[in-house]
Amino acid sequence: MTADNAEHSGRRRAVASLDELFRGSVPVGSAEDLAKDGVFDEGELEEFLADLGALRRADLA
């Protein structure tokens, strides 16, 4: 549901600030940081790699 749809349906969606979204997180320092166990949840690594591959192929077109 987009913000516009939420307003039209009479419901408002809570919007978190960037500070709230990233509280407690640490920046990725290197590709090796992403290779550690526990960085991605079940299935997220495959999704990330598929999206990355699609982005790289899109730049070639």
Side-chain angles (χ1 to χ4, degrees):
M1 176 182 304
T2 65
D4 290 337
N5 290 341
E7 288 179 20
H8 292 298
S9 70
R11 297 185 331 200
R12 294 196 64 94
R13 195 169 46 138
V15 178
S17 70
L18 288 177
D19 288 336
E20 292 170 324
L21 290 172
F22 291 101
R23 184 174 294 128
S25 63
V26 294
V28 174
S30 70
E32 288 150 359
D33 291 345
L34 293 175
K36 294 178 183 174
D37 286 338
V39 172
F40 292 98
D41 290 334
E42 180 88 24
E44 284 183 330
L45 178 59
E46 290 79 14
E47 184 179 341
F48 171 77
L49 293 174
D51 288 344
L52 180 61
L55 287 170
R56 288 181 174 174
R57 287 187 297 279
D59 287 341
L60 296 176

